Amino acid sequence: MYISIFIYTALLFAGGIMGYVKSGSVMSLVMGTLFSLFLTLFTLQYQRGKRWAGQCLLLTVLLLDGFFSVRYLKTQALMPAGLFTVLSSILLVIIYLRTKKSLRSR
């Protein structure tokens, strides 16, 4: 699970940089950086056994999934909105299953 989150986080960060470079979107750069930092922080805390961090991961990825889904519906652009909608949805399932499993085992 952790590798999936870190790959997603790296892609999100790179997407923020690309949004800035290609279209001068400061908002893409700021939000890509902020959400990447949040995901990294929550993942590291979850690795250390903090159960609240799993819930924060779920909520953060859910927010990102909602954002990218709305963006995809508006633009019908596969890149980046469509790709991140799919990746976010997959990651949501992975995180949910992992946090559900860890809650049962405690």
Side-chain angles (χ1 to χ4, degrees):
M1 172 180 98
Y2 305 119
I3 292 172
S4 322
I5 296 172
F6 284 125
I7 290 171
Y8 178 83
T9 301
L11 290 172
L12 188 65
F13 182 68
I17 292 172
M18 289 303 296
Y20 179 73
V21 169
K22 283 191 157 200
S23 61
S25 174
V26 175
M27 189 59 71
S28 290
L29 181 61
V30 169
M31 297 309 283
T33 302
L34 281 176
F35 276 100
S36 295
L37 288 172
F38 288 145
L39 288 171
T40 301
L41 172 72
F42 297 146
T43 302
L44 292 173
Q45 290 301 313
Y46 189 71
Q47 282 180 316
R48 293 184 180 124
K50 308 290 185 189
R51 290 180 7 182
W52 60 267
Q55 296 166 346
C56 290
L57 278 169
L58 272 172
L59 181 60
T60 303
V61 177
L62 182 62
L63 288 170
L64 288 167
D65 191 31
F67 170 78
F68 286 116
S69 295
V70 169
R71 180 66 56 112
Y72 177 71
L73 291 172
K74 284 183 180 179
T75 64
Q76 296 293 308
L78 186 58
M79 287 298 290
L83 174 67
F84 275 102
T85 298
V86 171
L87 293 176
S88 299
S89 298
I90 292 169
L91 193 57
L92 271 175
V93 171
I94 292 170
I95 294 170
Y96 174 75
L97 293 175
R98 177 64 184 255
T99 56
K100 184 179 172 183
K101 180 180 175 185
S102 70
L103 287 175
R104 277 190 283 163
S105 64
R106 291 183 186 202

